[in-house]
PDB file of all heavy atoms in Angstrom:
ATOM      1  N   THR A 908     -50.730  19.737 -32.462  1.00 96.00           N
ATOM      2  CA  THR A 908     -51.651  19.711 -33.559  1.00 96.00           C
ATOM      3  C   THR A 908     -53.059  19.536 -33.113  1.00 96.00           C
ATOM      4  O   THR A 908     -53.962  20.211 -33.613  1.00 96.00           O
ATOM      5  CB  THR A 908     -51.254  18.540 -34.522  1.00 96.00           C
ATOM      6  OG1 THR A 908     -50.038  18.668 -34.998  1.00 96.00           O
ATOM      7  CG2 THR A 908     -52.346  18.325 -35.732  1.00 96.00           C
ATOM      8  N   TYR A 909     -53.257  18.691 -32.147  1.00 96.00           N
ATOM      9  CA  TYR A 909     -54.614  18.526 -31.515  1.00 96.00           C
ATOM     10  C   TYR A 909     -55.098  19.798 -31.036  1.00 96.00           C
ATOM     11  O   TYR A 909     -56.228  20.343 -31.300  1.00 96.00           O
ATOM     12  CB  TYR A 909     -54.533  17.514 -30.266  1.00 96.00           C
ATOM     13  CG  TYR A 909     -55.808  17.351 -29.619  1.00 96.00           C
ATOM     14  CD1 TYR A 909     -56.889  16.603 -29.987  1.00 96.00           C
ATOM     15  CD2 TYR A 909     -56.038  18.264 -28.458  1.00 96.00           C
ATOM     16  CE1 TYR A 909     -58.061  16.486 -29.301  1.00 96.00           C
ATOM     17  CE2 TYR A 909     -57.172  18.205 -27.774  1.00 96.00           C
ATOM     18  CZ  TYR A 909     -58.243  17.290 -28.157  1.00 96.00           C
ATOM     19  OH  TYR A 909     -59.419  17.275 -27.395  1.00 96.00           O
ATOM     20  N   ASN A 910     -54.248  20.560 -30.163  1.00 96.00           N
ATOM     21  CA  ASN A 910     -54.674  21.811 -29.636  1.00 96.00           C
ATOM     22  C   ASN A 910     -55.035  22.838 -30.846  1.00 96.00           C
ATOM     23  O   ASN A 910     -56.139  23.648 -30.676  1.00 96.00           O
ATOM     24  CB  ASN A 910     -53.597  22.432 -28.841  1.00 96.00           C
ATOM     25  CG  ASN A 910     -53.409  21.628 -27.510  1.00 96.00           C
ATOM     26  OD1 ASN A 910     -54.158  20.865 -27.145  1.00 96.00           O
ATOM     27  ND2 ASN A 910     -52.157  21.728 -27.001  1.00 96.00           N
ATOM     28  N   TYR A 911     -54.315  22.888 -31.857  1.00 95.00           N
ATOM     29  CA  TYR A 911     -54.531  23.810 -32.955  1.00 95.00           C
ATOM     30  C   TYR A 911     -55.920  23.492 -33.631  1.00 95.00           C
ATOM     31  O   TYR A 911     -56.769  24.358 -33.886  1.00 95.00           O
ATOM     32  CB  TYR A 911     -53.458  23.690 -33.947  1.00 95.00           C
ATOM     33  CG  TYR A 911     -53.616  24.394 -35.143  1.00 95.00           C
ATOM     34  CD1 TYR A 911     -53.521  25.857 -35.266  1.00 95.00           C
ATOM     35  CD2 TYR A 911     -54.006  23.792 -36.394  1.00 95.00           C
ATOM     36  CE1 TYR A 911     -53.699  26.560 -36.401  1.00 95.00           C
ATOM     37  CE2 TYR A 911     -54.177  24.498 -37.512  1.00 95.00           C
ATOM     38  CZ  TYR A 911     -54.066  25.796 -37.653  1.00 95.00           C
ATOM     39  OH  TYR A 911     -54.316  26.591 -38.770  1.00 95.00           O
ATOM     40  N   LEU A 912     -56.040  22.113 -33.902  1.00 96.00           N
ATOM     41  CA  LEU A 912     -57.267  21.751 -34.535  1.00 96.00           C
ATOM     42  C   LEU A 912     -58.571  21.971 -33.607  1.00 96.00           C
ATOM     43  O   LEU A 912     -59.544  22.409 -34.106  1.00 96.00           O
ATOM     44  CB  LEU A 912     -57.278  20.236 -34.925  1.00 96.00           C
ATOM     45  CG  LEU A 912     -56.265  19.966 -35.902  1.00 96.00           C
ATOM     46  CD1 LEU A 912     -56.124  18.421 -36.151  1.00 96.00           C
ATOM     47  CD2 LEU A 912     -56.557  20.527 -37.327  1.00 96.00           C
ATOM     48  N   TRP A 913     -58.332  21.801 -32.381  1.00 95.00           N
ATOM     49  CA  TRP A 913     -59.507  22.007 -31.397  1.00 95.00           C
ATOM     50  C   TRP A 913     -59.852  23.578 -31.424  1.00 95.00           C
ATOM     51  O   TRP A 913     -61.027  23.819 -31.084  1.00 95.00           O
ATOM     52  CB  TRP A 913     -58.988  21.540 -30.034  1.00 95.00           C
ATOM     53  CG  TRP A 913     -60.157  21.591 -29.013  1.00 95.00           C
ATOM     54  CD1 TRP A 913     -60.439  22.593 -28.020  1.00 95.00           C
ATOM     55  CD2 TRP A 913     -61.262  20.635 -29.010  1.00 95.00           C
ATOM     56  NE1 TRP A 913     -61.657  22.260 -27.396  1.00 95.00           N
ATOM     57  CE2 TRP A 913     -62.141  21.034 -27.898  1.00 95.00           C
ATOM     58  CE3 TRP A 913     -61.629  19.585 -29.758  1.00 95.00           C
ATOM     59  CZ2 TRP A 913     -63.355  20.378 -27.589  1.00 95.00           C
ATOM     60  CZ3 TRP A 913     -62.737  18.850 -29.400  1.00 95.00           C
ATOM     61  CH2 TRP A 913     -63.598  19.187 -28.316  1.00 95.00           C
ATOM     62  N   ARG A 914     -59.031  24.337 -31.609  1.00 94.00           N
ATOM     63  CA  ARG A 914     -59.335  25.871 -31.595  1.00 94.00           C
ATOM     64  C   ARG A 914     -59.968  26.336 -32.830  1.00 94.00           C
ATOM     65  O   ARG A 914     -60.473  27.344 -32.906  1.00 94.00           O
ATOM     66  CB  ARG A 914     -58.073  26.704 -31.387  1.00 94.00           C
ATOM     67  CG  ARG A 914     -57.419  26.578 -29.993  1.00 94.00           C
ATOM     68  CD  ARG A 914     -56.118  27.295 -29.914  1.00 94.00           C
ATOM     69  NE  ARG A 914     -55.867  27.561 -28.465  1.00 94.00           N
ATOM     70  CZ  ARG A 914     -55.677  28.788 -28.047  1.00 94.00           C
ATOM     71  NH1 ARG A 914     -55.445  29.837 -28.897  1.00 94.00           N
ATOM     72  NH2 ARG A 914     -55.429  29.034 -26.797  1.00 94.00           N
ATOM     73  N   LYS A 915     -59.998  25.408 -33.884  1.00 92.00           N
ATOM     74  CA  LYS A 915     -60.665  25.848 -35.134  1.00 92.00           C
ATOM     75  C   LYS A 915     -62.049  25.869 -34.948  1.00 92.00           C
ATOM     76  O   LYS A 915     -62.736  25.110 -34.230  1.00 92.00           O
ATOM     77  CB  LYS A 915     -60.282  24.799 -36.301  1.00 92.00           C
ATOM     78  CG  LYS A 915     -58.830  24.777 -36.560  1.00 92.00           C
ATOM     79  CD  LYS A 915     -58.413  26.096 -37.131  1.00 92.00           C
ATOM     80  CE  LYS A 915     -57.890  26.082 -38.582  1.00 92.00           C
ATOM     81  NZ  LYS A 915     -57.523  27.339 -39.050  1.00 92.00           N
ATOM     82  N   LEU A 916     -62.831  26.776 -35.704  1.00 88.00           N
ATOM     83  CA  LEU A 916     -64.250  26.897 -35.477  1.00 88.00           C
ATOM     84  C   LEU A 916     -64.934  25.777 -36.323  1.00 88.00           C
ATOM     85  O   LEU A 916     -66.126  25.363 -36.045  1.00 88.00           O
ATOM     86  CB  LEU A 916     -64.677  28.314 -35.992  1.00 88.00           C
ATOM     87  CG  LEU A 916     -64.272  29.468 -35.208  1.00 88.00           C
ATOM     88  CD1 LEU A 916     -64.713  30.814 -35.783  1.00 88.00           C
ATOM     89  CD2 LEU A 916     -64.872  29.354 -33.786  1.00 88.00           C
ATOM     90  N   GLN A 917     -64.269  25.237 -37.263  1.00 94.00           N
ATOM     91  CA  GLN A 917     -64.908  24.258 -38.255  1.00 94.00           C
ATOM     92  C   GLN A 917     -64.754  22.895 -37.550  1.00 94.00           C
ATOM     93  O   GLN A 917     -63.827  22.617 -36.698  1.00 94.00           O
ATOM     94  CB  GLN A 917     -64.239  24.196 -39.564  1.00 94.00           C
ATOM     95  CG  GLN A 917     -64.255  25.490 -40.392  1.00 94.00           C
ATOM     96  CD  GLN A 917     -63.019  26.271 -40.246  1.00 94.00           C
ATOM     97  OE1 GLN A 917     -62.561  26.361 -39.137  1.00 94.00           O
ATOM     98  NE2 GLN A 917     -62.630  26.887 -41.289  1.00 94.00           N
ATOM     99  N   VAL A 918     -65.696  22.061 -38.025  1.00 96.00           N
ATOM    100  CA  VAL A 918     -65.560  20.624 -37.533  1.00 96.00           C
ATOM    101  C   VAL A 918     -64.393  19.979 -38.235  1.00 96.00           C
ATOM    102  O   VAL A 918     -64.025  20.248 -39.341  1.00 96.00           O
ATOM    103  CB  VAL A 918     -66.899  19.832 -37.949  1.00 96.00           C
ATOM    104  CG1 VAL A 918     -66.714  18.272 -37.749  1.00 96.00           C
ATOM    105  CG2 VAL A 918     -68.076  20.303 -37.315  1.00 96.00           C
ATOM    106  N   VAL A 919     -63.706  19.154 -37.426  1.00 97.00           N
ATOM    107  CA  VAL A 919     -62.551  18.525 -37.884  1.00 97.00           C
ATOM    108  C   VAL A 919     -62.685  16.962 -37.816  1.00 97.00           C
ATOM    109  O   VAL A 919     -63.140  16.310 -36.857  1.00 97.00           O
ATOM    110  CB  VAL A 919     -61.191  18.823 -36.880  1.00 97.00           C
ATOM    111  CG1 VAL A 919     -59.978  18.048 -37.355  1.00 97.00           C
ATOM    112  CG2 VAL A 919     -60.990  20.198 -36.913  1.00 97.00           C
ATOM    113  N   LEU A 920     -62.241  16.308 -39.016  1.00 98.00           N
ATOM    114  CA  LEU A 920     -62.335  14.900 -39.192  1.00 98.00           C
ATOM    115  C   LEU A 920     -60.872  14.435 -39.328  1.00 98.00           C
ATOM    116  O   LEU A 920     -60.070  15.010 -40.143  1.00 98.00           O
ATOM    117  CB  LEU A 920     -63.100  14.598 -40.500  1.00 98.00           C
ATOM    118  CG  LEU A 920     -63.331  13.160 -40.868  1.00 98.00           C
ATOM    119  CD1 LEU A 920     -64.419  12.552 -39.862  1.00 98.00           C
ATOM    120  CD2 LEU A 920     -63.862  13.076 -42.128  1.00 98.00           C
ATOM    121  N   ILE A 921     -60.466  13.367 -38.581  1.00 97.00           N
ATOM    122  CA  ILE A 921     -59.221  12.732 -38.585  1.00 97.00           C
ATOM    123  C   ILE A 921     -59.356  11.525 -39.337  1.00 97.00           C
ATOM    124  O   ILE A 921     -60.204  10.648 -39.034  1.00 97.00           O
ATOM    125  CB  ILE A 921     -58.618  12.546 -37.298  1.00 97.00           C
ATOM    126  CG1 ILE A 921     -58.546  13.765 -36.432  1.00 97.00           C
ATOM    127  CG2 ILE A 921     -57.165  11.774 -37.326  1.00 97.00           C
ATOM    128  CD1 ILE A 921     -57.971  13.693 -34.921  1.00 97.00           C
ATOM    129  N   VAL A 922     -58.557  11.341 -40.403  1.00 97.00           N
ATOM    130  CA  VAL A 922     -58.571  10.191 -41.322  1.00 97.00           C
ATOM    131  C   VAL A 922     -57.274   9.581 -41.403  1.00 97.00           C
ATOM    132  O   VAL A 922     -56.297  10.216 -41.638  1.00 97.00           O
ATOM    133  CB  VAL A 922     -59.127  10.655 -42.616  1.00 97.00           C
ATOM    134  CG1 VAL A 922     -59.273   9.463 -43.715  1.00 97.00           C
ATOM    135  CG2 VAL A 922     -60.547  11.341 -42.621  1.00 97.00           C
ATOM    136  N   LYS A 923     -57.316   8.251 -41.381  1.00 96.00           N
ATOM    137  CA  LYS A 923     -55.984   7.488 -41.657  1.00 96.00           C
ATOM    138  C   LYS A 923     -56.359   6.476 -42.750  1.00 96.00           C
ATOM    139  O   LYS A 923     -57.200   5.585 -42.669  1.00 96.00           O
ATOM    140  CB  LYS A 923     -55.531   6.681 -40.438  1.00 96.00           C
ATOM    141  CG  LYS A 923     -54.363   5.888 -40.577  1.00 96.00           C
ATOM    142  CD  LYS A 923     -53.817   5.314 -39.328  1.00 96.00           C
ATOM    143  CE  LYS A 923     -52.523   4.388 -39.605  1.00 96.00           C
ATOM    144  NZ  LYS A 923     -52.216   3.652 -38.412  1.00 96.00           N
ATOM    145  N   TYR A 924     -55.505   6.577 -43.884  1.00 95.00           N
ATOM    146  CA  TYR A 924     -55.596   5.613 -44.967  1.00 95.00           C
ATOM    147  C   TYR A 924     -54.551   4.491 -44.709  1.00 95.00           C
ATOM    148  O   TYR A 924     -53.377   4.878 -44.507  1.00 95.00           O
ATOM    149  CB  TYR A 924     -55.271   6.434 -46.256  1.00 95.00           C
ATOM    150  CG  TYR A 924     -55.313   5.524 -47.444  1.00 95.00           C
ATOM    151  CD1 TYR A 924     -56.430   4.971 -47.999  1.00 95.00           C
ATOM    152  CD2 TYR A 924     -54.042   5.160 -48.128  1.00 95.00           C
ATOM    153  CE1 TYR A 924     -56.418   4.066 -49.146  1.00 95.00           C
ATOM    154  CE2 TYR A 924     -53.970   4.382 -49.208  1.00 95.00           C
ATOM    155  CZ  TYR A 924     -55.245   3.778 -49.656  1.00 95.00           C
ATOM    156  OH  TYR A 924     -55.152   2.867 -50.714  1.00 95.00           O
ATOM    157  N   VAL A 925     -55.070   3.353 -44.771  1.00 94.00           N
ATOM    158  CA  VAL A 925     -54.161   2.188 -44.636  1.00 94.00           C
ATOM    159  C   VAL A 925     -53.949   1.480 -45.995  1.00 94.00           C
ATOM    160  O   VAL A 925     -54.940   0.946 -46.497  1.00 94.00           O
ATOM    161  CB  VAL A 925     -54.714   1.189 -43.604  1.00 94.00           C
ATOM    162  CG1 VAL A 925     -53.774   0.044 -43.388  1.00 94.00           C
ATOM    163  CG2 VAL A 925     -54.920   1.864 -42.262  1.00 94.00           C
ATOM    164  N   VAL A 926     -52.686   1.529 -46.438  1.00 93.00           N
ATOM    165  CA  VAL A 926     -52.478   1.115 -47.828  1.00 93.00           C
ATOM    166  C   VAL A 926     -52.830  -0.399 -48.064  1.00 93.00           C
ATOM    167  O   VAL A 926     -53.467  -0.704 -48.995  1.00 93.00           O
ATOM    168  CB  VAL A 926     -50.885   1.318 -48.244  1.00 93.00           C
ATOM    169  CG1 VAL A 926     -50.584   0.879 -49.549  1.00 93.00           C
ATOM    170  CG2 VAL A 926     -50.592   2.835 -48.251  1.00 93.00           C
ATOM    171  N   PRO A 927     -52.367  -1.337 -47.192  1.00 91.00           N
ATOM    172  CA  PRO A 927     -52.711  -2.700 -47.532  1.00 91.00           C
ATOM    173  C   PRO A 927     -54.231  -3.019 -47.440  1.00 91.00           C
ATOM    174  O   PRO A 927     -54.751  -3.972 -48.036  1.00 91.00           O
ATOM    175  CB  PRO A 927     -51.909  -3.526 -46.482  1.00 91.00           C
ATOM    176  CG  PRO A 927     -51.483  -2.564 -45.461  1.00 91.00           C
ATOM    177  CD  PRO A 927     -51.402  -1.181 -46.056  1.00 91.00           C
ATOM    178  N   ASP A 928     -55.014  -2.239 -46.659  1.00 91.00           N
ATOM    179  CA  ASP A 928     -56.451  -2.425 -46.633  1.00 91.00           C
ATOM    180  C   ASP A 928     -57.119  -1.677 -47.756  1.00 91.00           C
ATOM    181  O   ASP A 928     -58.349  -2.026 -47.913  1.00 91.00           O
ATOM    182  CB  ASP A 928     -56.878  -1.802 -45.204  1.00 91.00           C
ATOM    183  CG  ASP A 928     -56.480  -2.589 -44.029  1.00 91.00           C
ATOM    184  OD1 ASP A 928     -55.827  -3.586 -44.063  1.00 91.00           O
ATOM    185  OD2 ASP A 928     -56.775  -1.979 -42.943  1.00 91.00           O
ATOM    186  N   ASN A 929     -56.546  -0.842 -48.442  1.00 93.00           N
ATOM    187  CA  ASN A 929     -57.185   0.171 -49.402  1.00 93.00           C
ATOM    188  C   ASN A 929     -58.494   0.658 -48.777  1.00 93.00           C
ATOM    189  O   ASN A 929     -59.422   0.679 -49.315  1.00 93.00           O
ATOM    190  CB  ASN A 929     -57.418  -0.616 -50.743  1.00 93.00           C
ATOM    191  CG  ASN A 929     -57.730   0.371 -51.845  1.00 93.00           C
ATOM    192  OD1 ASN A 929     -57.284   1.517 -51.735  1.00 93.00           O
ATOM    193  ND2 ASN A 929     -58.585  -0.044 -52.740  1.00 93.00           N
ATOM    194  N   GLU A 930     -58.237   1.074 -47.556  1.00 95.00           N
ATOM    195  CA  GLU A 930     -59.314   1.716 -46.854  1.00 95.00           C
ATOM    196  C   GLU A 930     -58.842   2.794 -45.898  1.00 95.00           C
ATOM    197  O   GLU A 930     -57.705   2.901 -45.499  1.00 95.00           O
ATOM    198  CB  GLU A 930     -60.084   0.621 -45.926  1.00 95.00           C
ATOM    199  CG  GLU A 930     -61.266   1.167 -45.206  1.00 95.00           C
ATOM    200  CD  GLU A 930     -62.341   1.556 -46.027  1.00 95.00           C
ATOM    201  OE1 GLU A 930     -63.064   0.787 -46.665  1.00 95.00           O
ATOM    202  OE2 GLU A 930     -62.604   2.809 -46.072  1.00 95.00           O
TER     203      GLU A 930
END
Side-chain angles (χ1 to χ4, degrees):
T908 300
Y909 171 90
N910 293 340
Y911 174 75
L912 294 172
W913 188 255
R914 289 175 157 233
K915 296 300 240 175
L916 293 177
Q917 300 96 323
V918 171
V919 176
L920 188 71
I921 300 173
V922 177
K923 180 180 179 182
Y924 176 73
V925 180
V926 176
D928 294 356
N929 192 31
E930 183 61 78

